[in-house]
Amino acid sequence: MHDISPIRAKSGTNQEGTSAHNRRVMIEALRLNGALSRADLARATQLTKQAVSNIVEDLERDGLVVALDAVRKGRGQPFTPYRLVPEGAFAIGLQIDRHLTRVVVVDLVGKVIARAEAGLPLDEPSAGVKIILSLVDRVRRELASLFAQSERRLVGLGVAMPGPFGLRESDDKWMMPAWQQFPLLETLAAGTGLNVGLQNDAAACATAERIVGAAHGVDHAVCLYVGYGIAAGLILNGELYNGGNGNAGEIGRALLSPAGPGSTPLEHRASLASLYQHLGLDPAERGLYEKLGALALAQDPRVMGWVERAASDLRWSVHLIETIFDPQTVILTSSAPEALAQLLLQAMHPLLPSIADRPVRRLPRLQLGTTDPWAIAVGAAAEPISRAFDPRFSAILKAG
């Protein structure tokens, strides 16, 4: 017999009219576990062997799954493993920040195939979107040169940018008001011909962390993202939670003093923007990432002073997150260089007492996640993949 170790998968349903959900369940099982046999898939998803066989045949026909060589273990019958075809689907991810944009293409299993970046003119979305569309066109041409059928296998464009979204008009530059009021999604959809979705940058970072980072296999985690601003990506019950208006986790807007003239949002004190201001650096400066990394490695006194103050506020943020969401772990993610993120992580300890301070834990209360500046774009690209292939209760509800 072959391996009978636990397989990570959601349950399918053998009721009639639920094939869309079951198809997504099978794809997710293969993405999480790698190659599996039909018997493995039936056992993990609780579907009948006939249902699994039918779905596998459909997925093979659609170019999403391929059979591997038969395997024989011991005296049992040989079995055929199946795996996802990475080039079975592609998606584009777009990060828009105050001063730059990054574009990536990923395949069905999240591997980056092509990427490009460029500076953006501050608060000029009409000019900025032209730059973005040229980058998207560039990576699509690169993808097409590698995979002839790529255009018909593109499932969408995911966009990530700082929130919150949909608030009353504001002159607050932290909220990128010009971009907020620009018809961004409509312009991108018209310019690319793709389905376009939007999420905040922390949610995208959490998505990337869930695919390839510290949140992989964790059902309840909060990713505390420290970038130009601050926000939290919420993974609850194994799925990303966006809230009623896409603004869940906008912890950077939380006030650190009673509301009034002297109130200060968290991100005005503990974000990278506050560090740039403290050091007198231009956020649009070329080589800024490398410069910050060098200052952190040298433990520059100005950087260490900022780290101590920021860590105090972020320590409070972890306490708040643990109290409200009761996650298995909080993951510090950042667009900062790893050396700077490490200094922040160390300075945040000891953590404040909270309901998470239990004697028996499988995961630490706080750990360092991804510090790759491309993580947000990768997470943005994962959103169309998720929308197209991940199990959703809506697939069952629509079938009812």
Side-chain angles (χ1 to χ4, degrees):
M1 293 184 62
H2 54 282
D3 185 20
I4 57 171
S5 58
I7 299 171
R8 294 185 57 216
K10 290 186 175 69
S11 295
T13 174
N14 291 298
Q15 298 177 4
E16 293 185 8
T18 53
S19 59
H21 173 72
N22 292 338
R23 179 182 169 101
R24 288 168 177 257
V25 164
M26 298 264 287
I27 291 172
E28 183 187 55
L30 291 170
R31 186 188 298 126
L32 290 173
N33 300 282
L36 295 173
S37 69
R38 296 188 187 199
D40 288 332
L41 286 164
R43 176 163 52 88
T45 62
Q46 300 179 32
L47 292 169
T48 65
K49 291 183 179 179
Q50 185 59 52
V52 167
S53 293
N54 291 341
I55 295 170
V56 166
E57 289 174 8
D58 286 345
L59 294 174
E60 278 191 288
R61 187 165 52 249
D62 292 344
L64 295 171
V65 163
V66 66
L68 304 179
D69 292 338
V71 176
R72 179 185 293 276
K73 287 191 177 180
R75 298 183 178 181
Q77 291 291 322
F79 62 92
T80 300
Y82 294 84
R83 67 163 175 81
L84 291 180
V85 177
E87 61 271 23
F90 301 97
I92 299 175
L94 165 64
Q95 177 193 6
I96 300 174
D97 214 330
R98 281 92 176 167
H99 304 280
L100 61 82
T101 182
R102 295 186 176 98
V103 179
V104 300
V105 179
V106 303
D107 63 19
L108 181 57
V109 297
K111 179 184 176 183
V112 174
I113 305 299
R115 68 184 193 179
E117 68 177 331
L120 287 178
L122 185 63
D123 295 329
E124 294 183 34
S126 294
V129 80
K130 293 178 181 177
I131 295 171
I132 289 168
L133 288 172
S134 69
L135 291 185
V136 171
D137 183 62
R138 185 198 306 178
V139 297
R140 286 175 83 163
R141 282 188 277 108
E142 184 176 343
L143 177 66
S145 72
L146 298 170
F147 302 97
Q149 302 298 315
S150 63
E151 276 298 310
R152 69 182 186 87
R153 292 189 174 275
L154 268 175
V155 297
L157 168 64
V159 182
M161 61 182 288
F165 306 128
L167 304 188
R168 286 178 296 180
E169 291 188 13
S170 171
D171 292 329
D172 186 345
K173 297 301 182 184
W174 291 76
M175 293 170 55
M176 299 176 64
W179 285 89
Q180 292 273 3
Q181 296 155 27
F182 184 78
L184 178 63
L185 301 190
E186 298 87 343
T187 304
L188 290 174
T192 64
L194 298 171
N195 291 324
V196 182
L198 174 68
Q199 59 186 331
N200 68 32
D201 45 12
C205 208
T207 301
E209 205 68 43
R210 182 171 165 241
I211 295 171
V212 295
H216 185 70
V218 180
D219 288 330
H220 307 278
V222 175
C223 297
L224 179 59
Y225 173 69
V226 179
Y228 190 96
I230 293 175
L234 312 177
I235 300 169
L236 307 177
N237 291 319
E239 296 184 3
L240 196 70
Y241 178 73
N242 292 311
N245 302 288
N247 290 327
E250 286 290 347
I251 195 171
R253 309 297 298 176
L255 302 179
L256 298 183
S257 61
S263 58
T264 306
L266 168 66
E267 63 186 6
H268 287 205
R269 294 168 47 132
S271 66
L272 294 186
S274 69
L275 175 58
Y276 301 150
Q277 187 175 31
H278 177 66
L279 297 176
L281 296 174
D282 180 356
E285 178 183 335
R286 294 182 66 86
L288 183 60
Y289 185 86
E290 292 75 16
K291 179 178 286 189
L292 283 181
L295 290 171
L297 283 171
Q299 298 196 6
D300 179 271
R302 297 170 300 162
V303 170
M304 297 306 292
W306 174 85
V307 164
E308 184 177 349
R309 292 189 297 274
S312 177
D313 292 332
L314 294 172
R315 189 183 302 120
W316 165 84
S317 304
V318 171
H319 170 84
L320 186 66
I321 288 167
E322 290 176 331
T323 303
I324 296 173
F325 296 107
D326 188 27
Q328 293 167 267
T329 186
V330 177
I331 303 168
L332 178 65
T333 63
S334 181
S335 57
E338 184 175 354
L340 180 57
Q342 287 281 8
L343 289 176
L344 267 179
L345 183 77
Q346 294 164 13
M348 289 167 69
H349 287 86
L351 297 174
L352 297 172
S354 83
I355 60 171
D357 193 14
R358 301 187 308 277
V360 179
R361 293 187 61 90
R362 185 176 68 85
L363 297 171
R365 287 176 60 188
L366 177 67
Q367 59 181 306
L368 185 63
T370 303
T371 58
D372 182 353
W374 289 86
I376 291 175
V378 171
E383 194 276 333
I385 296 284
S386 173
R387 194 173 353 120
F389 298 111
D390 283 359
R392 302 284 173 91
F393 283 114
S394 59
I396 299 178
L397 295 175
K398 289 178 181 177

